[in-house]
Amino acid sequence: MWGGLVNDSRSRARALMAYSHPADYKGISQQEEKMIKRHLAFLYALKASLRRKQDGLYEKYLCEDERNQVKAFTNIPNAILDIQARELQLLQDMNYIDGFKFLHLNGVLTNFTDGMGKSERINNTVFPTTYVYFTRLFIWMLVILVTMALSSELGPSSIFLGWIIGFVFHTTHINGMSLMNPFEFIPSGVPLDSITRTIEINLLEGLGEKFVPAPIAPERGGEYIL
């Protein structure tokens, strides 16, 4: 889903810079720049929402009036998309884009909404507590039964062997638990920081910005990236 957001972000920025200004205009208009930077605000707001970590990074790509508007909403990323939709309608009213270009750009906005909704559904899915309880219970039952079965042959060493077998299943269970929340700020989570920064770099370079942030560096000597 976030791979789709990367592709759609690049496509939309390219379309805005190429199609959404008067025919005799050369370069990038202020309105195009605002819409592209507002999209970066959407990505940062969505990342913060999924990680339940409101860092306010999205605010630097919004003007003061827009910041005040979105803060009145519980779903800030969706509020930013609402502003984008109004701006897109304004471009059509000003005859900067025709009906076909409007449908294309609006379709990409719909894709952003779909990606946001799918991510939120995954993030808000609650696994039943019985799933965790019974999985742990069965692991302990396995450890006890294996130890008892091997005690007559191995004696006290069966305790160590039973612990090793239980450790393998328990570690697998822990890995499964971490995958239940893929957007958390943990090494095994989806690298939202890296993905968002990659889009940010691509879009700012397309706008010709002089100051472009560096890519997110891997942690612990390249073991993982956040």
Side-chain angles (χ1 to χ4, degrees):
M1 287 180 291
W2 272 78
L5 285 175
V6 173
N7 297 337
D8 288 335
S9 297
R10 292 167 175 163
S11 298
R12 183 174 182 274
R14 186 182 302 113
L16 283 172
M17 289 186 287
Y19 308 140
S20 62
H21 48 251
D24 58 347
Y25 189 88
K26 303 299 181 182
I28 301 172
S29 68
Q30 290 185 348
Q31 194 156 16
E32 293 166 353
E33 182 179 354
K34 282 181 63 178
M35 294 183 73
I36 292 172
K37 289 186 174 180
R38 192 183 295 120
H39 177 65
L40 294 176
F42 161 75
L43 293 174
Y44 273 109
L46 179 58
K47 176 176 73 74
S49 175
L50 293 175
R51 286 184 167 171
R52 297 181 178 90
K53 183 181 179 183
Q54 299 302 325
D55 48 24
L57 292 176
Y58 72 91
E59 296 182 6
K60 64 181 178 180
Y61 288 117
L62 298 177
C63 65
E64 183 177 358
D65 181 58
E66 291 170 349
R67 287 196 294 268
N68 293 333
Q69 286 184 50
V70 300
K71 285 181 179 178
F73 293 81
T74 56
N75 192 324
I76 293 177
N78 189 61
I80 295 175
L81 289 182
D82 290 342
I83 299 176
Q84 294 282 64
R86 291 195 294 268
E87 288 285 321
L88 186 60
Q89 182 62 55
L90 181 62
L91 290 178
Q92 188 182 38
D93 294 340
M94 297 169 65
N95 295 320
Y96 286 1
I97 57 175
D98 57 27
F100 292 104
K101 295 174 182 176
F102 175 86
L103 289 175
H104 169 71
L105 291 170
N106 188 64
V108 180
L109 274 182
T110 302
N111 292 342
F112 293 148
T113 305
D114 291 343
M116 176 179 64
K118 292 175 183 177
S119 300
E120 289 173 340
R121 284 196 296 274
I122 291 175
N123 204 42
N124 295 326
T125 298
V126 179
F127 280 80
T129 55
T130 52
Y131 169 81
V132 178
Y133 172 77
F134 282 110
T135 302
R136 290 176 178 171
L137 176 63
F138 295 153
I139 290 174
W140 280 111
M141 288 177 61
L142 174 66
V143 172
I144 294 172
L145 293 174
V146 168
T147 303
M148 293 174 60
L150 297 177
S151 61
S152 59
E153 298 291 336
L154 302 178
S157 299
S158 62
I159 298 176
F160 177 74
L161 183 60
W163 179 86
I164 291 293
I165 295 174
F167 176 78
V168 172
F169 282 94
H170 186 65
T171 303
T172 304
H173 174 60
I174 292 176
N175 289 336
M177 292 289 293
S178 66
L179 294 176
M180 287 166 53
N181 300 297
F183 299 117
E184 286 190 356
F185 193 69
I186 54 178
S188 61
V190 178
L192 298 183
D193 287 356
S194 176
I195 296 173
T196 306
R197 179 61 61 83
T198 298
I199 302 173
E200 182 180 17
I201 292 171
N202 295 158
L203 269 56
L204 291 180
E205 287 178 342
L207 291 173
E209 294 284 334
K210 294 181 179 180
F211 302 101
V212 178
I216 298 295
E219 303 284 343
R220 293 183 184 177
E223 289 185 8
Y224 62 90
I225 192 166
L226 295 170

mmCIF file of all heavy atoms in Angstrom, residues 23-41:
data_model
loop_
_atom_site.group_PDB
_atom_site.id
_atom_site.type_symbol
_atom_site.label_atom_id
_atom_site.label_comp_id
_atom_site.label_asym_id
_atom_site.label_seq_id
_atom_site.Cartn_x
_atom_site.Cartn_y
_atom_site.Cartn_z
ATOM 1 N N ALA A 23 -1.591 27.792 -20.489
ATOM 2 C CA ALA A 23 -0.764 27.283 -21.597
ATOM 3 C C ALA A 23 0.475 28.127 -21.835
ATOM 4 O O ALA A 23 1.514 27.620 -22.259
ATOM 5 C CB ALA A 23 -1.611 27.211 -22.861
ATOM 6 N N ASP A 24 0.395 29.436 -21.588
ATOM 7 C CA ASP A 24 1.524 30.320 -21.861
ATOM 8 C C ASP A 24 2.447 30.493 -20.654
ATOM 9 O O ASP A 24 3.365 31.316 -20.681
ATOM 10 C CB ASP A 24 1.007 31.698 -22.309
ATOM 11 C CG ASP A 24 0.091 32.338 -21.267
ATOM 12 O OD1 ASP A 24 -0.335 31.614 -20.338
ATOM 13 O OD2 ASP A 24 -0.208 33.532 -21.389
ATOM 14 N N TYR A 25 2.196 29.723 -19.581
ATOM 15 C CA TYR A 25 3.011 29.874 -18.361
ATOM 16 C C TYR A 25 4.197 28.918 -18.421
ATOM 17 O O TYR A 25 4.059 27.753 -18.775
ATOM 18 C CB TYR A 25 2.169 29.581 -17.117
ATOM 19 C CG TYR A 25 2.859 29.927 -15.818
ATOM 20 C CD1 TYR A 25 2.763 31.190 -15.275
ATOM 21 C CD2 TYR A 25 3.611 28.968 -15.144
ATOM 22 C CE1 TYR A 25 3.400 31.511 -14.080
ATOM 23 C CE2 TYR A 25 4.255 29.281 -13.953
ATOM 24 C CZ TYR A 25 4.141 30.546 -13.430
ATOM 25 O OH TYR A 25 4.778 30.856 -12.257
ATOM 26 N N LYS A 26 5.365 29.419 -18.070
ATOM 27 C CA LYS A 26 6.580 28.618 -18.044
ATOM 28 C C LYS A 26 7.060 28.454 -16.601
ATOM 29 O O LYS A 26 7.082 29.414 -15.835
ATOM 30 C CB LYS A 26 7.689 29.275 -18.873
ATOM 31 C CG LYS A 26 7.303 29.533 -20.316
ATOM 32 C CD LYS A 26 6.973 28.237 -21.055
ATOM 33 C CE LYS A 26 6.602 28.505 -22.509
ATOM 34 N NZ LYS A 26 6.231 27.269 -23.222
ATOM 35 N N GLY A 27 7.432 27.254 -16.241
ATOM 36 C CA GLY A 27 7.911 27.008 -14.887
ATOM 37 C C GLY A 27 6.826 26.432 -13.995
ATOM 38 O O GLY A 27 5.809 25.903 -14.461
ATOM 39 N N ILE A 28 7.030 26.553 -12.680
ATOM 40 C CA ILE A 28 6.117 25.998 -11.678
ATOM 41 C C ILE A 28 5.403 27.140 -10.976
ATOM 42 O O ILE A 28 6.046 28.042 -10.429
ATOM 43 C CB ILE A 28 6.882 25.133 -10.665
ATOM 44 C CG1 ILE A 28 7.600 23.995 -11.394
ATOM 45 C CG2 ILE A 28 5.943 24.571 -9.606
ATOM 46 C CD1 ILE A 28 8.529 23.202 -10.504
ATOM 47 N N SER A 29 4.085 27.122 -10.989
ATOM 48 C CA SER A 29 3.319 28.188 -10.352
ATOM 49 C C SER A 29 3.299 28.001 -8.839
ATOM 50 O O SER A 29 3.590 26.924 -8.319
ATOM 51 C CB SER A 29 1.890 28.210 -10.897
ATOM 52 O OG SER A 29 1.191 27.045 -10.481
ATOM 53 N N GLN A 30 2.922 29.059 -8.139
ATOM 54 C CA GLN A 30 2.832 28.997 -6.677
ATOM 55 C C GLN A 30 1.760 28.008 -6.244
ATOM 56 O O GLN A 30 1.923 27.323 -5.227
ATOM 57 C CB GLN A 30 2.539 30.389 -6.116
ATOM 58 C CG GLN A 30 3.691 31.368 -6.229
ATOM 59 C CD GLN A 30 3.398 32.690 -5.552
ATOM 60 O OE1 GLN A 30 2.248 32.979 -5.178
ATOM 61 N NE2 GLN A 30 4.412 33.513 -5.393
ATOM 62 N N GLN A 31 0.685 27.937 -6.999
ATOM 63 C CA GLN A 31 -0.400 27.021 -6.631
ATOM 64 C C GLN A 31 0.046 25.574 -6.763
ATOM 65 O O GLN A 31 -0.265 24.729 -5.917
ATOM 66 C CB GLN A 31 -1.623 27.290 -7.500
ATOM 67 C CG GLN A 31 -2.885 26.627 -6.974
ATOM 68 C CD GLN A 31 -4.130 27.336 -7.457
ATOM 69 O OE1 GLN A 31 -4.072 28.106 -8.388
ATOM 70 N NE2 GLN A 31 -5.251 27.080 -6.811
ATOM 71 N N GLU A 32 0.790 25.273 -7.829
ATOM 72 C CA GLU A 32 1.312 23.918 -7.993
ATOM 73 C C GLU A 32 2.264 23.565 -6.864
ATOM 74 O O GLU A 32 2.212 22.464 -6.306
ATOM 75 C CB GLU A 32 2.039 23.808 -9.344
ATOM 76 C CG GLU A 32 1.123 23.920 -10.540
ATOM 77 C CD GLU A 32 1.901 24.137 -11.830
ATOM 78 O OE1 GLU A 32 3.136 24.324 -11.763
ATOM 79 O OE2 GLU A 32 1.274 24.116 -12.894
ATOM 80 N N GLU A 33 3.129 24.504 -6.515
ATOM 81 C CA GLU A 33 4.088 24.266 -5.428
ATOM 82 C C GLU A 33 3.365 24.025 -4.106
ATOM 83 O O GLU A 33 3.728 23.127 -3.337
ATOM 84 C CB GLU A 33 5.036 25.449 -5.306
ATOM 85 C CG GLU A 33 6.091 25.280 -4.228
ATOM 86 C CD GLU A 33 7.037 26.462 -4.147
ATOM 87 O OE1 GLU A 33 6.945 27.364 -5.000
ATOM 88 O OE2 GLU A 33 7.878 26.482 -3.208
ATOM 89 N N LYS A 34 2.317 24.805 -3.850
ATOM 90 C CA LYS A 34 1.557 24.634 -2.605
ATOM 91 C C LYS A 34 0.889 23.265 -2.549
ATOM 92 O O LYS A 34 0.906 22.607 -1.505
ATOM 93 C CB LYS A 34 0.494 25.735 -2.485
ATOM 94 C CG LYS A 34 1.023 27.087 -2.035
ATOM 95 C CD LYS A 34 -0.104 28.102 -1.912
ATOM 96 C CE LYS A 34 -1.105 27.682 -0.860
ATOM 97 N NZ LYS A 34 -2.191 28.692 -0.694
ATOM 98 N N MET A 35 0.330 22.817 -3.661
ATOM 99 C CA MET A 35 -0.359 21.527 -3.669
ATOM 100 C C MET A 35 0.613 20.372 -3.498
ATOM 101 O O MET A 35 0.304 19.380 -2.822
ATOM 102 C CB MET A 35 -1.157 21.369 -4.969
ATOM 103 C CG MET A 35 -2.312 22.337 -5.108
ATOM 104 S SD MET A 35 -3.301 22.082 -6.599
ATOM 105 C CE MET A 35 -4.174 20.578 -6.168
ATOM 106 N N ILE A 36 1.799 20.491 -4.090
ATOM 107 C CA ILE A 36 2.788 19.425 -3.952
ATOM 108 C C ILE A 36 3.319 19.373 -2.522
ATOM 109 O O ILE A 36 3.450 18.296 -1.926
ATOM 110 C CB ILE A 36 3.929 19.627 -4.967
ATOM 111 C CG1 ILE A 36 3.403 19.398 -6.391
ATOM 112 C CG2 ILE A 36 5.098 18.686 -4.670
ATOM 113 C CD1 ILE A 36 4.392 19.749 -7.480
ATOM 114 N N LYS A 37 3.603 20.530 -1.948
ATOM 115 C CA LYS A 37 4.092 20.551 -0.567
ATOM 116 C C LYS A 37 2.988 20.145 0.410
ATOM 117 O O LYS A 37 3.271 19.519 1.439
ATOM 118 C CB LYS A 37 4.644 21.928 -0.221
ATOM 119 C CG LYS A 37 5.957 22.249 -0.928
ATOM 120 C CD LYS A 37 6.559 23.559 -0.468
ATOM 121 C CE LYS A 37 7.931 23.774 -1.079
ATOM 122 N NZ LYS A 37 8.545 25.043 -0.648
ATOM 123 N N ARG A 38 1.758 20.475 0.084
ATOM 124 C CA ARG A 38 0.640 20.053 0.937
ATOM 125 C C ARG A 38 0.509 18.531 0.928
ATOM 126 O O ARG A 38 0.103 17.932 1.926
ATOM 127 C CB ARG A 38 -0.660 20.701 0.467
ATOM 128 C CG ARG A 38 -1.808 20.556 1.461
ATOM 129 C CD ARG A 38 -3.087 21.156 0.921
ATOM 130 N NE ARG A 38 -2.990 22.589 0.738
ATOM 131 C CZ ARG A 38 -3.151 23.209 -0.427
ATOM 132 N NH1 ARG A 38 -3.411 22.498 -1.525
ATOM 133 N NH2 ARG A 38 -3.063 24.514 -0.518
ATOM 134 N N HIS A 39 0.867 17.913 -0.189
ATOM 135 C CA HIS A 39 0.850 16.454 -0.228
ATOM 136 C C HIS A 39 1.910 15.875 0.713
ATOM 137 O O HIS A 39 1.667 14.838 1.350
ATOM 138 C CB HIS A 39 1.094 15.956 -1.646
ATOM 139 C CG HIS A 39 1.153 14.464 -1.759
ATOM 140 N ND1 HIS A 39 0.071 13.644 -1.502
ATOM 141 C CD2 HIS A 39 2.184 13.622 -2.036
ATOM 142 C CE1 HIS A 39 0.412 12.381 -1.650
ATOM 143 N NE2 HIS A 39 1.698 12.334 -1.961
ATOM 144 N N LEU A 40 3.052 16.514 0.813
ATOM 145 C CA LEU A 40 4.063 16.071 1.777
ATOM 146 C C LEU A 40 3.525 16.178 3.202
ATOM 147 O O LEU A 40 3.810 15.331 4.048
ATOM 148 C CB LEU A 40 5.341 16.897 1.622
ATOM 149 C CG LEU A 40 6.103 16.710 0.306
ATOM 150 C CD1 LEU A 40 7.298 17.652 0.230
ATOM 151 C CD2 LEU A 40 6.561 15.269 0.153
ATOM 152 N N ALA A 41 2.737 17.234 3.450
ATOM 153 C CA ALA A 41 2.098 17.361 4.762
ATOM 154 C C ALA A 41 1.155 16.195 5.012
ATOM 155 O O ALA A 41 1.088 15.655 6.126
ATOM 156 C CB ALA A 41 1.345 18.692 4.842
#
